[in-house]
Amino acid sequence: MKNLVLLTGAGMSAESGISTFRDSDGLWEQHKVADVATPAGFAANPARVLSFYNERRKQLLEVVPNPGHEALAALEDYFDVHIITQNIDNLHEQAGSSHIIHLHGELMKVRSTGYPYKEYTLTPDNIEINIGDKAEDGCQLRPHIVWFGEDVPQIEVAIKEVEKADVFVIIGTSLNVYPAAGLLHYVPKGIPIYLIDPKEVNTNRKDIHFIKAGASEGMDILRKILLDQ
Ligand code: APR
């Protein structure tokens, strides 16, 4: 089977009801990145940061995968599908996709603020972490999220996946954030590249087939293109 490798972003989950970051109603219109998504923000006001991610988890429990997530999972009948996602939700997993790299961490996981750290998976009946909640090493727990300014430990694994792609697909990301956006440079020359987004995304490349649609409609179009080939 051919390798279908995807890079997904917040737009993938928009039709499930999770806000994107940089659209006009996006999360970064309501919260300052520096306050809730940087190590300095956590050091300055850990309670605010923990509460921000507690809210995100509460929201995640209220939503379900959309037809775009489901269509993507169904493509595993025809392709070796490898998803590299910038999303911290688990909607790809819930839809049944098997190979997912979370570049920016996972909302349902937490870890120690100490080092080396162990990760813990939260259960739906226990989604809050608060000041005073500690890991086994005695250190405060924090969200298992890659904040701005932190290393992206999964980037090397993601690059290796991209280098093996026979088809590469980008869905619902403004490609503003590196190193994720730089993965495009590792796509093997000459393979088909598709980009699904309702808005224009500036890639400075002419070899990308742009499918101007939301994730669900776009996946429907892409499925037909891929299965007709
Ligand atoms: N279907 C597909 N794409 C959509 C939809 C939809 N229904 N609705 C919006 N989009 C597109 C927008 O047009 C935009 O191009 O999704 C993209 C969302 O871009 P961003 O909000 O910048 O999200 P993303 O690229 O995932 O952000 C990257 O930035 O803040 C950090 O860590 C956070 O992982 C995030 C990273």
Side-chain angles (χ1 to χ4, degrees), residues 135-166:
E136 285 155 285
D137 61 6
C139 299
Q140 172 67 43
L141 286 169
R142 59 160 275 180
H144 183 55
I145 303 291
V146 174
W147 287 326
F148 285 94
E150 294 189 307
D151 285 344
V152 180
Q154 292 288 69
I155 194 68
E156 293 302 326
V157 190
I159 288 172
K160 287 205 175 79
E161 290 298 346
V162 174
E163 286 174 337
K164 287 188 284 186
D166 297 305

Side-chain angles (χ1 to χ4, degrees), residues 5-198:
V5 180
L6 299 101
L7 173 64
T8 67
M12 184 79 225
S13 299
E15 288 158 26
S16 293
I18 299 182
S19 305
T20 62
F21 294 96
R22 294 174 185 78
D23 286 307
S24 54
D25 55 347
L27 265 187
W28 296 152
E29 290 293 316
Q30 299 152 41
H31 302 272
K32 285 193 188 137
V33 175
D35 286 347
V36 296
T38 63
F42 185 61
N45 192 341
R48 172 166 58 194
V49 176
L50 295 180
S51 146
F52 174 78
Y53 289 97
N54 288 342
E55 274 307 308
R56 305 274 75 73
R57 283 186 212 101
K58 224 181 274 172
Q59 186 192 32
L60 177 57
L61 291 191
E62 286 163 7
V63 303
V64 292
N66 64 58
H69 292 107
E70 276 156 11
L72 186 41
L75 280 180
E76 292 191 6
D77 289 345
Y78 306 94
F79 294 92
D80 262 329
V81 180
H82 292 267
I83 301 171
I84 300 161
T85 188
Q86 297 167 87
N87 297 344
I88 57 176
D89 65 53
N90 56 10
L91 297 181
H92 283 304
E93 285 89 342
Q94 285 190 43
S97 285
S98 316
H99 306 291
I100 304 152
I101 295 172
H102 282 276
L103 276 185
H104 295 164
E106 292 175 69
L107 201 43
M108 290 303 284
K109 289 186 178 170
V110 295
R111 68 181 194 235
S112 170
T113 44
Y115 196 84
Y117 58 76
K118 201 172 138 190
E119 300 158 22
Y120 304 87
T121 302
L122 298 175
T123 52
D125 56 340
N126 180 23
I127 52 166
E128 280 202 10
I129 46 168
N130 295 299
I131 299 292
D133 291 342
K134 296 198 170 129
E136 285 155 285
D137 61 6
C139 299
Q140 172 67 43
L141 286 169
R142 59 160 275 180
H144 183 55
I145 303 291
V146 174
W147 287 326
F148 285 94
E150 294 189 307
D151 285 344
V152 180
Q154 292 288 69
I155 194 68
E156 293 302 326
V157 190
I159 288 172
K160 287 205 175 79
E161 290 298 346
V162 174
E163 286 174 337
K164 287 188 284 186
D166 297 305
V167 181
F168 189 70
V169 181
I170 301 162
I171 306 177
T173 170
S174 61
L175 295 175
N176 265 298
V177 173
Y178 284 80
L183 286 172
L184 204 40
H185 302 307
Y186 296 91
V187 175
K189 282 204 171 39
I191 69 158
I193 308 176
Y194 299 92
L195 189 157
I196 298 172
D197 203 295

